[in-house]
Amino acid sequence: MEPTSTNVAELLHKLCSHLSTDLDGAYELAMSYLSSTSEKTRSSADEKLLCQKIYSKLCSRSSRDAEKFNEYHSKLRNCFILKQRLSVLSLLLALSELPQHSDSTLQLFPIPQLANAKSATGIPAVIPSISKSTIGSVSWTNSLKQQISEQSIPSNNNMALSIHQADRPNERSCVREAVLAATGVKCRNSGAGSRPMQALYSRIAHLGFLHDRLKEFIDPLSGLMPQGLMGEGLVTAIRDELTEYYRSVALLQSQACEGDGGGATLRRVCVWAQEPLHRLTWLANMAHAAQHKKGGELASCVHRFVRHGDERVSSLARRLLTALTYPLLLMLTRWLLHGEIDDPFNEFFIESRSGVPIDRMWHDKYRVREWMVPSFMCREQAAQILATGKSVVFMREACADEPDHAPHAHHLHSLLKPDTEGAGAWWEAAGLGGAVRGAHDAAARRLVAALCSRHHLLDHLAAHRRYLLLAQGDFVHHLMTLLQEELNKPATSLYVHNLTCTLEAAVRATNAQYEPSHVLARLHVNLYPNCDGREDSGWDVFALQYRVDGPLGTLFPATCAARYRALFTQLWRVKRIEYSLHDAWREHTILHKRLKHMPEVWAVMRRVCCVRAEALRVCGALQEASCAGAEDDWAELLAAAASRTDLDRLLHLHLRALDQHSVHAMIHHSTQELQSYLGNVLNETLALRSFESMLHAGIVAELERRDRLERLKAERVARGEYAFTAADEAEDKEKRKNFNQFIAKRKADLNVWTRTYRGHVTALILKLALHSEISLQTLAFRLDYSDFYKRGDAKLHEPLTYQHKRLSEIGLNLAKSKYIERSKKK
């Protein structure tokens, strides 16, 4: 019984398994020989099996590649250009099965192929196709096309070869000299040959010039090599480029010197030289731009070439930049994670200064060197990097808190160890900004959370506003009441311990007693030294002081304490004047009940009362403006601290709130002119208080004299004597005459004071109305909301005042509405 084909195949498979270790290859080879009947049939069968093997190998990698292979193979079978398809396919398969050896360096320059070996069909072997990246200009493309066209001439047409046959020995020597000139070696007969050969030779020899420039750049003795670790990285990258260039030139030299020259011509060498010439030219340009530079400035010079329009130049610059920025990545990582600067050559864009106290560490110890910030990093990212490292240092040195693992390290994972294939360099990664921003936010939240939880940042901010900016009204009023008698004394007779006892009594009697202990322990009394020798009263030298130490000294440094002191002095002065006016009102009310039988003082007392009310309204408006003007800024500051905003943001908001307070208190540098006008108003208000005290003292003295005279009359009548003698009557008339003169003089003084005071208030209103700050223009309108001062001074009719601006806007809106109504009626 004849075995079936299946049994034959099984027996053949077993035989192959015993004879060869490569079961599949032996089986396919056996099947090809068994199935072939003639040489043509055998060749066809071998090609079919070989194609099947290639197809199965491609299917294991990509089905799309396998389909493309079938398509291309079918086209190849229909054309008659390639005669030995089986040999070519076998060669390609054998090459694909060879192990891939990884070189230490990339192939940066084209491998020269100068051999002029002929194929079996008589057609010269064409130089392998050059990729698009090796063709950089039209001239290089034309020369490449000319070379391909010359090599595509059939072998029986020897016209081009016969033209150059006579110059063949001379050209071979020129080729060898040109190869040597490409490495900077000068030859004696470099100028020999025809003009076309000299032109080709000079183009190839330009490689040697560029090579020498690069060698000079990386030579430490030349003085051109950049300094520092980043400069070493750039030099190392250029050395790698030159190493690849040397390897390519060595292969070229080996092909040019073997046998009869290997078919090497100057034209072919010149075509090969186009890509090295382009690469070395741009390497030389980058090296020239990087001379005498280091650090971030060096990275910026190379980064400019990354944005070049030519993809080859951009790729070359990207490779160099990645090599030279590796030390920068190490320094950046150490700063972000540990707050340490390891910069022996001053290449990092963040510098540290020694000798800075701990309370100024955040402000002065570290700073960004603007000229060292790389161009691939924006200024915002540099500021975030600075703040992140400062947060780590601040937590370690000021807050004495150093965790085992940085909580923001996971944000830098994508920056330090990219986990996606094909990801770009760290400096061009899309997540660079996000990684830095995430690390900055995490470190900032941790720092502000520590300041708020352990060091009570919110409580101290609120305490500064309540006590130094006089926002705690009951405490300020009670303290001023208790201190009135002491502060009326000369400044030289005051003692801090006595005032401290009064301060503690004011705290116990008001809502300040419910403050936390860490707030009350920092509230103290301070007396300013009398430097100018004036005889100041206690009101002029008294001040409250809030002492802050530890990490909070960063938020409230000495400069900030000076601004609080200036604000307290100004606000305390206005508050003291308002309190004295209220005290004068109390004296006036008590005295008014005793003036029933003294009608000659009723007019002046009523006049003084009206003027005092006018001054009180001005002081109240000034205090309200100074407190309400910065209300929104303080609310934003406290909200930002509660939401754990970064410390730089808190410092900015804090300074902005102080600026707003200074503007509305008119002690800011932008309100220096207003400060003098406000000082005139406050001085005149104090003069009114002195005037009223003098007036009250004279009236009280006259009242006491009259009371004594009435008591004397009653005693005389009781004794049976005359109640009033002629001498007493004459003396009484003289005293009343003197008192009337006193009242008349006080009336004249009051008229002069009123004119002076209203003149100063009018000038202040006018300056406020002309100021660029809208809130101060609003204050001018509030000081003259009833047009009282406007009716007395024509200057306030100027159209630049806030009131006229407002009226102009109202009139403009009314005119628009009337015009719209008329147009609708029509």
Side-chain angles (χ1 to χ4, degrees):
M1 184 176 178
E2 219 172 313
T4 61
S5 61
T6 306
N7 295 333
V8 172
E10 291 177 357
L11 293 174
L12 183 61
H13 192 273
K14 290 181 180 180
L15 179 62
C16 292
S17 64
H18 288 287
L19 295 177
S20 176
T21 56
D22 188 6
L23 179 60
D24 295 336
Y27 180 75
E28 292 175 1
L29 184 61
M31 288 294 295
S32 64
Y33 277 98
L34 290 176
S35 59
S36 61
T37 56
S38 63
E39 185 173 353
K40 182 177 180 180
T41 308
R42 184 169 63 251
S43 177
S44 177
D46 291 345
E47 183 178 356
K48 183 176 181 181
L49 290 175
L50 192 59
C51 290
Q52 289 179 358
K53 188 172 184 179
I54 295 175
Y55 180 80
S56 61
K57 190 172 185 179
L58 291 176
C59 284
S60 63
R61 297 180 180 179
S62 173
S63 59
R64 185 177 180 182
D65 293 342
E67 293 176 359
K68 283 186 177 181
F69 171 75
N70 285 337
E71 180 183 356
Y72 294 156
H73 181 258
S74 61
K75 292 181 179 180
L76 187 63
R77 291 182 64 183
N78 296 330
C79 69
F80 300 98
I81 297 177
L82 189 61
K83 300 298 183 181
Q84 299 179 359
R85 293 194 306 272
L86 181 61
S87 300
V88 173
L89 292 175
S90 301
L91 177 61
L92 293 177
L93 181 60
L95 291 176
S96 67
E97 292 177 352
L98 290 177
Q100 300 294 328
H101 299 285
S102 59
D103 297 334
S104 60
T105 56
L106 298 175
Q107 179 182 334
L108 304 177
F109 295 89
I111 301 299
Q113 297 289 341
L114 304 180
N116 198 17
K118 299 189 178 188
S119 63
T121 58
I123 302 177
V126 184
I127 294 178
S129 61
I130 302 174
S131 61
K132 294 181 180 179
S133 62
T134 61
I135 303 173
S137 66
V138 178
S139 60
W140 301 346
T141 307
N142 295 336
S143 62
L144 183 63
K145 289 181 179 180
Q146 181 180 357
Q147 178 193 8
I148 295 175
S149 62
E150 290 176 358
Q151 293 175 349
S152 301
I153 300 176
S155 58
N156 54 1
N157 189 358
N158 295 325
M159 183 181 301
L161 297 177
S162 61
I163 294 175
H164 302 284
Q165 192 66 28
D167 297 334
R168 188 66 178 173
N170 188 21
E171 186 172 5
R172 279 202 299 269
S173 64
C174 286
V175 168
R176 294 190 183 95
E177 293 176 358
V179 173
L180 292 177
T183 58
V185 178
K186 296 182 179 180
C187 302
R188 295 181 178 179
N189 300 326
S190 58
S194 62
R195 175 173 291 183
M197 293 177 62
Q198 291 179 8
L200 295 175
Y201 179 85
S202 63
R203 184 176 298 180
I204 300 171
H206 188 63
L207 284 172
F209 169 73
L210 298 175
H211 167 268
D212 292 342
R213 287 183 60 186
L214 292 175
K215 287 289 291 183
E216 184 183 10
F217 177 74
I218 64 176
D219 186 8
L221 301 179
S222 64
L224 301 178
M225 189 176 73
Q227 302 298 320
L229 299 177
M230 297 177 67
E232 288 290 341
L234 177 61
V235 169
T236 302
I238 294 179
R239 283 199 181 107
D240 292 340
E241 295 280 343
L242 290 179
T243 301
E244 284 298 315
Y245 173 69
Y246 292 150
R247 188 177 70 171
S248 182
V249 171
L251 291 175
L252 177 67
Q253 187 176 11
S254 64
Q255 293 187 19
C257 296
E258 63 182 6
D260 60 345
T265 62
L266 278 178
R267 185 176 296 277
R268 291 179 181 177
V269 175
C270 188
V271 170
W272 165 85
Q274 300 309 310
E275 175 63 20
L277 185 62
H278 180 272
R279 186 178 296 274
L280 292 184
T281 299
W282 285 105
L283 276 175
N285 291 338
M286 295 178 194
H288 179 73
Q291 290 179 8
H292 308 295
K293 292 181 176 61
K294 65 177 182 179
E297 192 176 8
L298 175 63
S300 300
C301 289
V302 180
H303 183 255
R304 286 199 296 266
F305 294 92
V306 175
R307 294 171 288 188
H308 197 276
D310 192 346
E311 182 61 29
R312 294 175 297 171
V313 179
S314 177
S315 178
L316 176 63
R318 188 178 293 109
R319 187 160 52 251
L320 296 183
L321 187 60
T322 302
L324 73 92
T325 54
Y326 184 72
L328 177 63
L329 176 61
L330 297 180
M331 289 185 282
L332 181 63
T333 304
R334 190 165 185 176
W335 169 252
L336 291 175
L337 294 179
H338 307 290
E340 300 174 355
I341 297 180
D342 185 11
D343 187 17
F345 298 100
N346 294 325
E347 298 176 282
F348 199 34
F349 57 87
I350 295 175
E351 68 171 347
S352 174
R353 292 187 287 182
S354 59
V356 178
I358 190 65
D359 58 337
R360 296 296 303 174
M361 188 210 70
W362 187 273
H363 304 276
D364 301 332
K365 187 174 180 60
Y366 301 99
R367 69 173 183 176
V368 175
R369 292 184 285 194
E370 298 293 338
W371 67 93
M372 279 293 182
V373 178
S375 57
F376 55 80
M377 186 180 297
C378 62
R379 295 296 182 265
E380 181 182 0
Q381 290 179 355
Q384 290 177 351
I385 291 172
L386 174 66
T388 304
K390 286 197 301 185
S391 299
V392 177
V393 178
F394 193 84
M395 289 294 296
R396 181 176 63 247
E397 296 185 3
C399 301
D401 179 17
E402 186 174 5
D404 297 334
H405 178 70
H408 56 278
H410 65 280
H411 293 282
L412 304 174
H413 182 70
S414 60
L415 175 64
L416 303 177
K417 295 180 180 179
D419 53 356
T420 57
E421 295 184 0
W426 70 270
W427 50 268
E428 64 175 351
L432 173 62
V436 172
R437 192 181 310 110
H440 169 257
D441 294 342
R445 283 195 299 269
R446 173 171 168 264
L447 174 59
V448 177
L451 291 178
C452 291
S453 59
R454 296 186 220 167
H455 303 282
H456 314 288
L457 174 61
L458 292 174
D459 294 339
H460 294 306
L461 282 174
H464 274 79
R465 182 167 179 251
R466 289 173 186 164
Y467 302 112
L468 297 189
L469 301 182
L470 309 183
Q472 190 73 22
D474 59 337
F475 167 78
V476 174
H477 184 270
H478 193 70
L479 177 65
M480 196 166 288
T481 302
L482 296 178
L483 290 174
Q484 182 179 9
E485 184 177 355
E486 285 287 330
L487 297 183
N488 285 332
K489 298 178 182 178
T492 55
S493 62
L494 298 181
Y495 297 97
V496 174
H497 59 273
N498 293 334
L499 300 178
T500 303
C501 295
T502 307
L503 174 64
E504 294 175 355
V507 169
R508 289 192 299 268
T510 58
N511 287 329
Q513 61 181 320
Y514 302 110
E515 291 284 356
S517 58
H518 56 266
V519 171
L520 297 178
R522 287 173 167 81
L523 189 61
H524 300 277
V525 172
N526 188 24
L527 294 177
Y528 298 145
N530 189 8
C531 299
D532 52 2
R534 296 181 304 172
E535 295 182 359
D536 294 334
S537 65
W539 295 101
D540 300 321
V541 298
F542 174 81
L544 289 179
Q545 185 179 13
Y546 197 89
R547 298 175 184 173
V548 179
D549 53 3
L552 292 180
T554 298
L555 193 61
F556 305 101
T559 55
C560 187
R563 299 192 64 179
Y564 273 108
R565 184 165 59 248
L567 279 171
F568 177 83
T569 302
Q570 183 75 355
L571 297 176
W572 181 259
R573 184 185 183 191
V574 178
K575 192 70 177 178
R576 170 226 176 165
I577 293 174
E578 185 190 25
Y579 183 84
S580 63
L581 292 178
H582 282 293
D583 189 44
W585 174 82
R586 287 192 297 270
E587 293 178 1
H588 173 84
T589 304
I590 295 172
L591 184 60
H592 184 69
K593 298 177 180 179
R594 302 172 58 186
L595 299 178
K596 188 175 183 180
H597 302 289
M598 195 179 287
E600 63 271 19
V601 300
W602 290 354
V604 66
M605 291 293 286
R606 182 168 57 251
R607 183 87 179 276
V608 169
C609 185
C610 293
V611 174
R612 187 194 327 111
E614 181 181 340
L616 271 173
R617 189 176 59 79
V618 172
C619 291
L622 292 175
Q623 287 191 85
E624 186 178 357
S626 62
C627 294
E631 184 70 26
D632 296 338
D633 298 289
W634 274 101
E636 186 178 359
L637 171 61
L638 296 176
S643 61
R644 306 297 188 263
T645 311
D646 59 281
L647 189 57
D648 283 325
R649 175 67 176 168
L650 292 181
L651 291 172
H652 172 71
L653 293 176
H654 187 218
L655 292 179
R656 191 174 71 177
L658 290 180
D659 284 339
Q660 288 297 319
H661 262 296
S662 301
V663 168
H664 291 88
M666 301 180 202
I667 59 173
H668 196 258
H669 61 84
S670 62
T671 58
Q672 291 181 355
E673 185 180 7
L674 294 175
Q675 185 177 359
S676 61
Y677 288 97
L678 177 62
N680 294 333
V681 173
L682 296 180
N683 291 334
E684 290 300 325
T685 308
L686 283 176
L688 173 64
R689 180 67 181 99
S690 301
F691 168 81
E692 193 168 2
S693 298
M694 186 183 300
L695 177 63
H696 288 173
I699 294 175
V700 169
E702 180 64 19
L703 283 174
E704 290 177 353
R705 187 192 68 81
R706 293 183 183 186
D707 290 341
R708 287 196 303 269
L709 184 59
E710 291 297 329
R711 288 196 297 272
L712 180 60
K713 288 180 181 180
E715 290 175 0
R716 287 177 178 179
V717 171
R719 291 196 301 266
E721 298 177 358
Y722 289 104
F724 210 54
T725 62
D728 293 335
E729 184 177 359
E731 184 181 0
D732 181 60
K733 286 182 179 180
E734 184 67 23
K735 293 293 180 67
R736 286 178 180 269
K737 181 181 178 181
N738 294 337
F739 179 71
N740 290 332
Q741 292 177 356
F742 171 77
I743 295 298
K745 188 177 181 180
R746 296 284 78 79
K747 286 182 180 180
D749 293 342
L750 183 60
N751 291 332
V752 174
W753 180 90
T754 302
R755 287 194 298 270
T756 305
Y757 175 76
R758 288 176 178 171
H760 289 315
V761 173
T762 301
L764 177 63
I765 292 174
L766 180 61
K767 293 299 180 180
L768 287 172
L770 298 177
H771 200 270
S772 59
E773 183 69 28
I774 299 298
S775 57
L776 294 181
Q777 296 179 13
T778 308
L779 175 61
F781 174 71
R782 291 169 59 189
L783 290 177
D784 193 23
Y785 70 95
S786 60
D787 294 344
F788 174 76
Y789 296 101
K790 176 185 174 182
R791 289 191 295 268
D793 194 336
K795 294 181 181 179
L796 293 180
H797 289 270
E798 294 184 6
L800 296 178
T801 59
Y802 175 80
Q803 184 177 1
H804 279 78
K805 288 181 181 178
R806 182 171 175 271
L807 293 176
S808 300
E809 292 176 358
I810 294 175
L812 183 61
N813 293 331
L814 289 175
K816 287 182 179 180
S817 60
K818 291 181 179 180
Y819 177 76
I820 293 173
E821 290 178 358
R822 291 176 182 176
S823 60
K824 287 182 179 179
K825 291 180 180 180
K826 292 181 179 179

